[in-house]
mmCIF file of all heavy atoms in Angstrom:
data_model
loop_
_atom_site.group_PDB
_atom_site.id
_atom_site.type_symbol
_atom_site.label_atom_id
_atom_site.label_comp_id
_atom_site.label_asym_id
_atom_site.label_seq_id
_atom_site.Cartn_x
_atom_site.Cartn_y
_atom_site.Cartn_z
ATOM 1 N N VAL A 388 -11.290 -22.721 -0.253
ATOM 2 C CA VAL A 388 -11.333 -21.380 -0.840
ATOM 3 C C VAL A 388 -12.035 -20.397 0.094
ATOM 4 O O VAL A 388 -11.550 -19.304 0.338
ATOM 5 C CB VAL A 388 -12.059 -21.390 -2.205
ATOM 6 C CG1 VAL A 388 -12.115 -19.983 -2.787
ATOM 7 C CG2 VAL A 388 -11.360 -22.319 -3.182
ATOM 8 N N PHE A 389 -13.178 -20.798 0.598
ATOM 9 C CA PHE A 389 -14.031 -19.822 1.276
ATOM 10 C C PHE A 389 -14.093 -19.983 2.798
ATOM 11 O O PHE A 389 -14.619 -19.121 3.483
ATOM 12 C CB PHE A 389 -15.451 -19.883 0.713
ATOM 13 C CG PHE A 389 -15.504 -19.633 -0.767
ATOM 14 C CD1 PHE A 389 -15.847 -20.639 -1.661
ATOM 15 C CD2 PHE A 389 -15.186 -18.370 -1.278
ATOM 16 C CE1 PHE A 389 -15.892 -20.405 -3.023
ATOM 17 C CE2 PHE A 389 -15.227 -18.133 -2.645
ATOM 18 C CZ PHE A 389 -15.579 -19.153 -3.523
ATOM 19 N N GLY A 390 -13.567 -21.093 3.290
ATOM 20 C CA GLY A 390 -13.774 -21.403 4.702
ATOM 21 C C GLY A 390 -13.041 -20.505 5.682
ATOM 22 O O GLY A 390 -13.447 -20.383 6.827
ATOM 23 N N THR A 391 -11.952 -19.848 5.205
ATOM 24 C CA THR A 391 -11.066 -19.197 6.166
ATOM 25 C C THR A 391 -11.273 -17.693 6.316
ATOM 26 O O THR A 391 -10.770 -17.090 7.245
ATOM 27 C CB THR A 391 -9.600 -19.430 5.754
ATOM 28 O OG1 THR A 391 -9.451 -18.978 4.401
ATOM 29 C CG2 THR A 391 -9.227 -20.890 5.853
ATOM 30 N N SER A 392 -12.011 -17.082 5.389
ATOM 31 C CA SER A 392 -12.061 -15.616 5.402
ATOM 32 C C SER A 392 -13.013 -15.061 6.453
ATOM 33 O O SER A 392 -14.097 -15.599 6.687
ATOM 34 C CB SER A 392 -12.463 -15.130 4.002
ATOM 35 O OG SER A 392 -13.435 -14.137 4.073
ATOM 36 N N ASN A 393 -12.587 -13.974 7.080
ATOM 37 C CA ASN A 393 -13.432 -13.316 8.086
ATOM 38 C C ASN A 393 -14.714 -12.776 7.488
ATOM 39 O O ASN A 393 -15.789 -12.907 8.054
ATOM 40 C CB ASN A 393 -12.686 -12.138 8.723
ATOM 41 C CG ASN A 393 -11.641 -12.636 9.700
ATOM 42 O OD1 ASN A 393 -11.732 -13.773 10.184
ATOM 43 N ND2 ASN A 393 -10.654 -11.802 9.961
ATOM 44 N N ASP A 394 -14.550 -12.149 6.312
ATOM 45 C CA ASP A 394 -15.689 -11.597 5.588
ATOM 46 C C ASP A 394 -16.775 -12.649 5.404
ATOM 47 O O ASP A 394 -17.954 -12.404 5.612
ATOM 48 C CB ASP A 394 -15.216 -11.197 4.179
ATOM 49 C CG ASP A 394 -15.000 -9.716 4.075
ATOM 50 O OD1 ASP A 394 -14.792 -9.094 5.139
ATOM 51 O OD2 ASP A 394 -15.061 -9.199 2.948
ATOM 52 N N ILE A 395 -16.325 -13.827 4.994
ATOM 53 C CA ILE A 395 -17.273 -14.884 4.674
ATOM 54 C C ILE A 395 -17.818 -15.502 5.966
ATOM 55 O O ILE A 395 -18.995 -15.839 6.035
ATOM 56 C CB ILE A 395 -16.618 -15.909 3.723
ATOM 57 C CG1 ILE A 395 -16.377 -15.191 2.383
ATOM 58 C CG2 ILE A 395 -17.483 -17.140 3.527
ATOM 59 C CD1 ILE A 395 -15.451 -15.874 1.441
ATOM 60 N N GLN A 396 -16.972 -15.567 6.980
ATOM 61 C CA GLN A 396 -17.459 -16.037 8.280
ATOM 62 C C GLN A 396 -18.622 -15.163 8.767
ATOM 63 O O GLN A 396 -19.607 -15.668 9.295
ATOM 64 C CB GLN A 396 -16.334 -16.010 9.325
ATOM 65 C CG GLN A 396 -15.360 -17.181 9.212
ATOM 66 C CD GLN A 396 -16.050 -18.545 9.326
ATOM 67 O OE1 GLN A 396 -17.022 -18.703 10.059
ATOM 68 N NE2 GLN A 396 -15.561 -19.513 8.560
ATOM 69 N N GLU A 397 -18.479 -13.858 8.545
ATOM 70 C CA GLU A 397 -19.553 -12.955 8.961
ATOM 71 C C GLU A 397 -20.855 -13.272 8.227
ATOM 72 O O GLU A 397 -21.930 -13.277 8.810
ATOM 73 C CB GLU A 397 -19.168 -11.494 8.673
ATOM 74 C CG GLU A 397 -18.485 -10.832 9.853
ATOM 75 C CD GLU A 397 -17.953 -9.448 9.491
ATOM 76 O OE1 GLU A 397 -18.610 -8.735 8.705
ATOM 77 O OE2 GLU A 397 -16.870 -9.096 10.000
ATOM 78 N N LEU A 398 -20.732 -13.556 6.916
ATOM 79 C CA LEU A 398 -21.919 -13.891 6.121
ATOM 80 C C LEU A 398 -22.524 -15.210 6.600
ATOM 81 O O LEU A 398 -23.741 -15.375 6.626
ATOM 82 C CB LEU A 398 -21.555 -13.995 4.642
ATOM 83 C CG LEU A 398 -21.141 -12.693 3.958
ATOM 84 C CD1 LEU A 398 -20.542 -12.975 2.587
ATOM 85 C CD2 LEU A 398 -22.357 -11.773 3.816
ATOM 86 N N LEU A 399 -21.655 -16.138 6.979
ATOM 87 C CA LEU A 399 -22.139 -17.432 7.467
ATOM 88 C C LEU A 399 -22.838 -17.252 8.812
ATOM 89 O O LEU A 399 -23.911 -17.787 9.039
ATOM 90 C CB LEU A 399 -20.975 -18.422 7.600
ATOM 91 C CG LEU A 399 -20.260 -18.822 6.296
ATOM 92 C CD1 LEU A 399 -19.005 -19.644 6.591
ATOM 93 C CD2 LEU A 399 -21.185 -19.610 5.380
ATOM 94 N N GLN A 400 -22.206 -16.428 9.663
ATOM 95 C CA GLN A 400 -22.780 -16.220 10.991
ATOM 96 C C GLN A 400 -24.110 -15.470 10.937
ATOM 97 O O GLN A 400 -25.022 -15.757 11.692
ATOM 98 C CB GLN A 400 -21.787 -15.464 11.883
ATOM 99 C CG GLN A 400 -20.933 -16.422 12.690
ATOM 100 C CD GLN A 400 -19.602 -15.810 13.077
ATOM 101 O OE1 GLN A 400 -19.500 -14.602 13.242
ATOM 102 N NE2 GLN A 400 -18.592 -16.640 13.203
ATOM 103 N N SER A 401 -24.208 -14.525 10.018
ATOM 104 C CA SER A 401 -25.461 -13.769 9.919
ATOM 105 C C SER A 401 -26.543 -14.603 9.234
ATOM 106 O O SER A 401 -27.677 -14.160 9.085
ATOM 107 C CB SER A 401 -25.237 -12.464 9.169
ATOM 108 O OG SER A 401 -24.891 -12.739 7.826
ATOM 109 N N GLY A 402 -26.167 -15.794 8.782
ATOM 110 C CA GLY A 402 -27.160 -16.704 8.229
ATOM 111 C C GLY A 402 -27.543 -16.409 6.791
ATOM 112 O O GLY A 402 -28.531 -16.930 6.286
ATOM 113 N N GLN A 403 -26.744 -15.578 6.116
ATOM 114 C CA GLN A 403 -27.077 -15.296 4.728
ATOM 115 C C GLN A 403 -26.439 -16.299 3.768
ATOM 116 O O GLN A 403 -26.904 -16.512 2.668
ATOM 117 C CB GLN A 403 -26.644 -13.869 4.379
ATOM 118 C CG GLN A 403 -27.707 -12.876 4.790
ATOM 119 C CD GLN A 403 -27.131 -11.569 5.262
ATOM 120 O OE1 GLN A 403 -25.990 -11.482 5.687
ATOM 121 N NE2 GLN A 403 -27.934 -10.531 5.184
ATOM 122 N N LEU A 404 -25.365 -16.892 4.240
ATOM 123 C CA LEU A 404 -24.624 -17.836 3.405
ATOM 124 C C LEU A 404 -24.501 -19.143 4.172
ATOM 125 O O LEU A 404 -24.407 -19.145 5.397
ATOM 126 C CB LEU A 404 -23.238 -17.235 3.141
ATOM 127 C CG LEU A 404 -22.383 -17.851 2.036
ATOM 128 C CD1 LEU A 404 -23.036 -17.632 0.678
ATOM 129 C CD2 LEU A 404 -20.994 -17.218 2.044
ATOM 130 N N ILE A 405 -24.490 -20.252 3.418
ATOM 131 C CA ILE A 405 -24.347 -21.563 4.058
ATOM 132 C C ILE A 405 -23.212 -22.316 3.376
ATOM 133 O O ILE A 405 -23.163 -22.404 2.152
ATOM 134 C CB ILE A 405 -25.667 -22.377 3.944
ATOM 135 C CG1 ILE A 405 -26.822 -21.600 4.622
ATOM 136 C CG2 ILE A 405 -25.500 -23.768 4.579
ATOM 137 C CD1 ILE A 405 -28.199 -22.083 4.232
ATOM 138 N N LEU A 406 -22.287 -22.822 4.170
ATOM 139 C CA LEU A 406 -21.213 -23.676 3.653
ATOM 140 C C LEU A 406 -21.196 -24.919 4.526
ATOM 141 O O LEU A 406 -20.864 -24.852 5.709
ATOM 142 C CB LEU A 406 -19.874 -22.934 3.734
ATOM 143 C CG LEU A 406 -18.606 -23.700 3.305
ATOM 144 C CD1 LEU A 406 -18.690 -24.152 1.851
ATOM 145 C CD2 LEU A 406 -17.357 -22.846 3.505
ATOM 146 N N ASP A 407 -21.606 -26.067 3.938
ATOM 147 C CA ASP A 407 -21.680 -27.293 4.734
ATOM 148 C C ASP A 407 -21.268 -28.490 3.890
ATOM 149 O O ASP A 407 -20.646 -28.318 2.837
ATOM 150 C CB ASP A 407 -23.096 -27.452 5.328
ATOM 151 C CG ASP A 407 -24.166 -27.535 4.242
ATOM 152 O OD1 ASP A 407 -23.794 -27.687 3.047
ATOM 153 O OD2 ASP A 407 -25.354 -27.438 4.566
ATOM 154 N N ASP A 408 -21.632 -29.665 4.317
ATOM 155 C CA ASP A 408 -21.163 -30.837 3.562
ATOM 156 C C ASP A 408 -21.873 -31.011 2.222
ATOM 157 O O ASP A 408 -21.459 -31.804 1.400
ATOM 158 C CB ASP A 408 -21.236 -32.115 4.423
ATOM 159 C CG ASP A 408 -22.616 -32.299 5.029
ATOM 160 O OD1 ASP A 408 -23.521 -31.478 4.697
ATOM 161 O OD2 ASP A 408 -22.796 -33.227 5.837
ATOM 162 N N ARG A 409 -22.931 -30.229 1.998
ATOM 163 C CA ARG A 409 -23.550 -30.257 0.660
ATOM 164 C C ARG A 409 -22.807 -29.336 -0.294
ATOM 165 O O ARG A 409 -22.638 -29.625 -1.463
ATOM 166 C CB ARG A 409 -25.016 -29.827 0.764
ATOM 167 C CG ARG A 409 -25.950 -31.000 1.122
ATOM 168 C CD ARG A 409 -27.272 -30.496 1.680
ATOM 169 N NE ARG A 409 -28.031 -29.721 0.712
ATOM 170 C CZ ARG A 409 -29.079 -28.941 1.031
ATOM 171 N NH1 ARG A 409 -29.484 -28.867 2.285
ATOM 172 N NH2 ARG A 409 -29.715 -28.272 0.105
ATOM 173 N N GLY A 410 -22.424 -28.187 0.228
ATOM 174 C CA GLY A 410 -21.734 -27.234 -0.648
ATOM 175 C C GLY A 410 -21.928 -25.816 -0.160
ATOM 176 O O GLY A 410 -22.128 -25.581 1.035
ATOM 177 N N LEU A 411 -21.874 -24.878 -1.111
ATOM 178 C CA LEU A 411 -21.991 -23.462 -0.781
ATOM 179 C C LEU A 411 -23.277 -22.924 -1.403
ATOM 180 O O LEU A 411 -23.518 -23.119 -2.598
ATOM 181 C CB LEU A 411 -20.784 -22.703 -1.360
ATOM 182 C CG LEU A 411 -20.696 -21.199 -1.094
ATOM 183 C CD1 LEU A 411 -20.410 -20.919 0.375
ATOM 184 C CD2 LEU A 411 -19.623 -20.565 -1.979
ATOM 185 N N ARG A 412 -24.085 -22.236 -0.592
ATOM 186 C CA ARG A 412 -25.325 -21.683 -1.140
ATOM 187 C C ARG A 412 -25.819 -20.527 -0.288
ATOM 188 O O ARG A 412 -25.367 -20.336 0.845
ATOM 189 C CB ARG A 412 -26.416 -22.767 -1.238
ATOM 190 C CG ARG A 412 -26.817 -23.332 0.107
ATOM 191 C CD ARG A 412 -27.675 -24.581 -0.054
ATOM 192 N NE ARG A 412 -27.964 -25.170 1.249
ATOM 193 C CZ ARG A 412 -27.127 -25.927 1.932
ATOM 194 N NH1 ARG A 412 -25.924 -26.218 1.445
ATOM 195 N NH2 ARG A 412 -27.471 -26.425 3.106
ATOM 196 N N CYS A 413 -26.759 -19.789 -0.849
ATOM 197 C CA CYS A 413 -27.375 -18.697 -0.098
ATOM 198 C C CYS A 413 -28.556 -19.237 0.685
ATOM 199 O O CYS A 413 -29.203 -20.181 0.264
ATOM 200 C CB CYS A 413 -27.917 -17.627 -1.051
ATOM 201 S SG CYS A 413 -26.652 -16.739 -1.938
ATOM 202 N N SER A 414 -28.828 -18.592 1.819
ATOM 203 C CA SER A 414 -30.079 -18.897 2.516
ATOM 204 C C SER A 414 -31.210 -18.193 1.767
ATOM 205 O O SER A 414 -30.967 -17.424 0.830
ATOM 206 C CB SER A 414 -30.007 -18.378 3.948
ATOM 207 O OG SER A 414 -29.947 -16.966 3.924
ATOM 208 N N TRP A 415 -32.421 -18.432 2.197
ATOM 209 C CA TRP A 415 -33.588 -17.764 1.597
ATOM 210 C C TRP A 415 -33.380 -16.245 1.597
ATOM 211 O O TRP A 415 -33.543 -15.582 0.576
ATOM 212 C CB TRP A 415 -34.847 -18.149 2.389
ATOM 213 C CG TRP A 415 -36.081 -17.373 2.054
ATOM 214 C CD1 TRP A 415 -36.484 -16.204 2.627
ATOM 215 C CD2 TRP A 415 -37.072 -17.712 1.079
ATOM 216 N NE1 TRP A 415 -37.655 -15.785 2.070
ATOM 217 C CE2 TRP A 415 -38.054 -16.692 1.107
ATOM 218 C CE3 TRP A 415 -37.228 -18.779 0.175
ATOM 219 C CZ2 TRP A 415 -39.163 -16.700 0.270
ATOM 220 C CZ3 TRP A 415 -38.351 -18.777 -0.642
ATOM 221 C CH2 TRP A 415 -39.296 -17.751 -0.602
ATOM 222 N N ASP A 416 -32.991 -15.691 2.747
ATOM 223 C CA ASP A 416 -32.768 -14.242 2.843
ATOM 224 C C ASP A 416 -31.540 -13.810 2.038
ATOM 225 O O ASP A 416 -31.534 -12.767 1.401
ATOM 226 C CB ASP A 416 -32.550 -13.821 4.308
ATOM 227 C CG ASP A 416 -33.843 -13.893 5.107
ATOM 228 O OD1 ASP A 416 -34.921 -13.728 4.485
ATOM 229 O OD2 ASP A 416 -33.777 -14.124 6.327
ATOM 230 N N GLY A 417 -30.540 -14.642 2.090
ATOM 231 C CA GLY A 417 -29.285 -14.300 1.422
ATOM 232 C C GLY A 417 -29.423 -14.189 -0.088
ATOM 233 O O GLY A 417 -28.779 -13.348 -0.719
ATOM 234 N N LEU A 418 -30.302 -15.035 -0.661
ATOM 235 C CA LEU A 418 -30.436 -15.046 -2.123
ATOM 236 C C LEU A 418 -30.836 -13.674 -2.673
ATOM 237 O O LEU A 418 -30.394 -13.265 -3.740
ATOM 238 C CB LEU A 418 -31.449 -16.122 -2.544
ATOM 239 C CG LEU A 418 -31.453 -16.495 -4.022
ATOM 240 C CD1 LEU A 418 -30.118 -17.075 -4.454
ATOM 241 C CD2 LEU A 418 -32.574 -17.492 -4.341
ATOM 242 N N ALA A 419 -31.667 -12.951 -1.898
ATOM 243 C CA ALA A 419 -32.100 -11.626 -2.345
ATOM 244 C C ALA A 419 -30.966 -10.606 -2.278
ATOM 245 O O ALA A 419 -31.053 -9.532 -2.853
ATOM 246 C CB ALA A 419 -33.281 -11.150 -1.497
ATOM 247 N N LEU A 420 -29.912 -10.972 -1.557
ATOM 248 C CA LEU A 420 -28.786 -10.046 -1.391
ATOM 249 C C LEU A 420 -27.541 -10.563 -2.083
ATOM 250 O O LEU A 420 -26.420 -10.167 -1.766
ATOM 251 C CB LEU A 420 -28.493 -9.869 0.112
ATOM 252 C CG LEU A 420 -29.624 -9.230 0.917
ATOM 253 C CD1 LEU A 420 -29.344 -9.345 2.408
ATOM 254 C CD2 LEU A 420 -29.786 -7.770 0.532
ATOM 255 N N LEU A 421 -27.771 -11.451 -3.052
ATOM 256 C CA LEU A 421 -26.643 -12.131 -3.691
ATOM 257 C C LEU A 421 -25.571 -11.167 -4.190
ATOM 258 O O LEU A 421 -24.376 -11.432 -4.046
ATOM 259 C CB LEU A 421 -27.170 -13.003 -4.839
ATOM 260 C CG LEU A 421 -26.104 -13.798 -5.593
ATOM 261 C CD1 LEU A 421 -25.369 -14.753 -4.676
ATOM 262 C CD2 LEU A 421 -26.733 -14.565 -6.751
ATOM 263 N N ASP A 422 -25.995 -10.059 -4.777
ATOM 264 C CA ASP A 422 -24.997 -9.154 -5.356
ATOM 265 C C ASP A 422 -24.141 -8.466 -4.305
ATOM 266 O O ASP A 422 -23.094 -7.897 -4.627
ATOM 267 C CB ASP A 422 -25.666 -8.119 -6.263
ATOM 268 C CG ASP A 422 -26.036 -8.740 -7.608
ATOM 269 O OD1 ASP A 422 -25.906 -9.974 -7.738
ATOM 270 O OD2 ASP A 422 -26.449 -8.007 -8.530
#
Side-chain angles (χ1 to χ4, degrees):
Chain A
V388 179
F389 302 112
T391 55
S392 135
N393 285 339
D394 258 23
I395 293 165
Q396 282 303 326
E397 268 173 36
L398 293 169
L399 295 172
Q400 267 155 30
S401 66
Q403 276 145 337
L404 194 66
I405 301 163
L406 177 60
D407 60 11
D408 52 5
R409 275 160 63 194
L411 181 69
R412 63 192 176 280
C413 292
S414 66
W415 170 271
D416 288 332
L418 194 62
L420 297 169
L421 181 60
D422 283 8

